[in-house]
Amino acid sequence: MIGVFDSGLGGLTVVKELMKRLPGRGVVYFGDNARYPYGGKSGALITQYAIENTEFLRAQGAKVLVVACNTASAHAVAALRERFPDMPVYEVVGPALARAAAISEGRVGVIATTGTVESGVYERGMSSLRPEATVFSQACPLFVPLVEEGWVGKPETESIASTYLLPLHSQDIETLILGCTHYPFLRRTIAKIMGPHVRLIDPAIELVNELQRRLVADHAFDAMLTKHAGYRFHASDRTARFERIATEWLGTDVRLAEPSH
Amino acid sequence: MIGVFDSGLGGLTVVKELMKRLPGRGVVYFGDNARYPYGGKSGALITQYAIENTEFLRAQGAKVLVVACNTASAHAVAALRERFPDMPVYEVVGPALARAAAISEGRVGVIATTGTVESGVYERGMSSLRPEATVFSQACPLFVPLVEEGWVGKPETESIASTYLLPLHSQDIETLILGCTHYPFLRRTIAKIMGPHVRLIDPAIELVNELQRRLVADHAFDAMLTKHAGYRFHASDRTARFERIATEWLGTDVRLAEPSH
């Protein structure tokens, strides 16, 4: 089983990509909506939550971990690898950076939550991948609530997005990493503001590309993820809203499983 | 000591009112920002959090409890009174309703988080206070993030507020309860949209009025809150942001105390 966690619903974008691209590989999902959102909280706290979530997923049979939340990827991945050395840990920051480094000449934009931006993880990652590249990052803290509350496509959202994206627009970037699982829902608005010359990178797609390459290349890894087609969903706050939105996004009937954490 | 809790910073509006109106009465505050926000979470979960927060405040010496969060007031007060029968519990829903019932002819508006609106607590409360009155309630889920992110007074906020308030505007209400501790920060915007004939009610002020009346009338209660002028602040996520904003709002230097929970 592939264990996936996120602070809430956002990580389901990764699950959707896994369902489409790696059908037959089981997934157990944990949405930590009781403590959602992670974006503005401290690194120490997010690391503690990430460890608890991983312990839960391991107890549910997960052999490979996917951290589907950029804020947790930014803060907690080193601690998770140290704590669970037997478990391959995939996250959303590295694959998106690798893609940006591959397709750009050196001016890379990142939009993310306040927590992710303050961590400096994209700047550090890029400086080891391509030291001559420059990363321009911008926190967009209202994007998550705007998506969660269904304001995608509304003029207020477009206006708020313009305010957030203005500094990046003037930096002449070539690529823009959508550094939060919620942001692909605003892709059309963001693309319109940034213009056709800026290529948008969706970390969920890059992450699944990386997993897929490893499955082909590494037989032991492939064996770890025995073909087992189940999908199981857990949430720390078992709400009807979670089930309704997950069912809508994934196009399949989602019922939350016990236990909750 | 008066123990006050909220899901984060919002309850500091109540502390500010306590400092101004009941100086010399000690306050111990707990902001549960590690699990913020409460607004969209389930009633069962919020009740569990409220009990944990109250246990923490009792261990810190609180003799009287103030639930400064409307969502927790809506869901958890009955459970708190049952669990802690020795502790007077004050909350923000009842006093605001009593005020609305006293000054209106029967058409009362309420704006609040999704969780508070779905609880139906204002409708139930009003029907026992004034059965002939009608309550019109409206969830405004983006108000908290807009306030937290500093978008007060911006045109996007005004436009979002107009969308939320439109249904209430057409209901010809006489009073409007600002049913979330963050909403008084948007008072000017809300007043402008609703017009001068709608009276706005700030639950923090009504709550402190009620406490003050009881202190005058009830000597045993007064003795419980011995004159002890300290203010102590705790948060479940000890962030610099909490200290910075609390210092700004309260106009006094706020340093978070240990332990955090």
Side-chain angles (χ1 to χ4, degrees), chain B residues 13-27:
Chain B
T13 53
V14 175
V15 175
K16 190 167 190 166
E17 207 56 33
L18 288 170
M19 283 176 158
K20 193 168 75 182
R21 307 261 305 282
L22 303 178
R25 308 285 177 167
V27 171

Side-chain angles (χ1 to χ4, degrees), chain A residues 152-219:
Chain A
V152 172
K154 302 264 177 81
E156 292 86 352
T157 301
E158 205 163 300
S159 173
I160 289 170
S162 295
T163 305
Y164 282 147
L165 297 174
L166 187 67
L168 291 176
H169 204 268
S170 61
Q171 290 295 353
D172 200 24
I173 57 171
E174 306 148 285
T175 55
L176 178 61
I177 297 174
L178 307 180
C180 172
T181 44
H182 283 74
Y183 295 0
F185 292 94
L186 295 168
R187 191 182 185 114
R188 195 175 295 190
T189 303
I190 295 165
K192 188 174 153 191
I193 295 167
M194 297 307 295
H197 52 287
V198 176
R199 292 174 70 173
L200 305 184
I201 296 175
D202 179 346
I205 294 174
E206 306 309 325
L207 163 75
V208 178
N209 285 343
E210 198 173 295
L211 254 175
Q212 199 169 32
R213 283 192 295 269
R214 172 104 175 253
L215 281 165
V216 171
D218 179 344
H219 289 295

